[in-house]
Amino acid sequence: LSYEGSSNSLSGANASGMIAPRYRLSDATSLMVIYDGTYSKTRDFYSDEVGPRERTEYQRHTVTPMFSIGFGDSDRYRISPSFFYTRTYNKDVEGGGWDDGLYNYRDTGGSLDFTMGQLGFGGEENGSLRFGIQYYERDYPNYTSLLDLATGLGLEEDERDYHGVLGRVRYNCVDSSGFSWG
């Protein structure tokens, strides 16, 4: 993809991809390493304490090693622990390169998911219920608060950094005609 034009142009591009090679250790266990990436080039406006800001390019890269263990009749149940690392990059109009984005962040964390299969409605057994919990730590390496800029005292050095917990629940079903819903 190529792009030519001034900062006033509204043209851009979006690309995303995922690669998930899997290594089967046995009939019931497997190991996967998942890469998920996104790139976009658009005029995107957002607001912070300073006021409106403009971002022109954005990247997100996540690597997730995941171990999956099946058990029960026909591996009806599955437990999947995983770890992940995410890096984002923003090119702000005011800023310079990829590493200079004020809202670039890093996520490090892990999750534990439990899946129960063979749960379809109306006699169908092609449904699955998945629920899990995820814990992560988010770090903004370039963010500096206005108070720190004004005083230089380092009072709010890691103001945007935080620890997060996410709960997830998902149901998927495929009926005999091939129609799927979630």
Side-chain angles (χ1 to χ4, degrees), residues 8-178:
N8 293 332
S9 174
L10 294 178
S11 64
N14 290 310
S16 63
M18 178 183 285
I19 300 171
R22 182 176 93 168
Y23 180 73
R24 182 171 286 223
L25 301 169
S26 71
D27 287 343
T29 60
S30 60
L31 174 66
M32 287 190 296
V33 178
I34 304 164
Y35 167 78
D36 183 15
T38 300
Y39 168 82
S40 69
K41 185 171 188 167
T42 58
R43 288 187 75 188
D44 182 20
F45 293 94
Y46 58 97
S47 182
D48 67 3
E49 294 84 12
V50 178
R53 298 179 62 87
E54 183 179 3
R55 171 174 54 213
T56 58
E57 291 182 80
Y58 170 79
Q59 293 184 49
R60 180 188 46 77
H61 304 278
T62 301
V63 176
T64 307
M66 177 184 290
F67 189 65
S68 183
I69 306 162
F71 56 97
D73 284 340
S74 302
D75 292 332
R76 180 179 180 193
Y77 307 102
R78 185 162 294 278
I79 191 163
S80 304
S82 64
F83 298 95
F84 64 91
Y85 180 71
T86 300
R87 288 184 78 122
T88 66
Y89 300 95
N90 294 287
K91 271 193 180 177
D92 296 323
V93 171
E94 299 90 6
W98 286 110
D99 289 327
D100 300 330
L102 185 63
Y103 291 101
N104 290 357
Y105 66 82
R106 315 290 181 254
D107 282 348
T108 306
S111 67
L112 183 63
D113 291 303
F114 178 76
T115 305
M116 186 180 340
Q118 303 169 3
L119 292 175
F121 290 105
E124 299 285 335
E125 292 190 356
N126 295 328
S128 66
L129 175 66
R130 182 176 187 160
F131 56 92
I133 190 160
Q134 180 182 75
Y135 170 81
Y136 65 99
E137 180 179 345
R138 180 163 289 178
D139 174 47
Y140 289 87
N142 300 334
Y143 187 81
T144 306
S145 75
L146 290 176
L147 182 61
D148 279 352
L149 287 174
T151 65
L153 297 176
L155 298 173
E156 295 180 340
E157 196 168 302
D158 299 322
E159 176 186 18
R160 287 230 180 251
D161 299 353
Y162 67 90
H163 298 258
V165 177
L166 295 173
R168 298 185 298 255
V169 176
R170 180 178 181 175
Y171 180 80
N172 292 316
C173 187
V174 179
D175 68 17
S176 58
S177 69

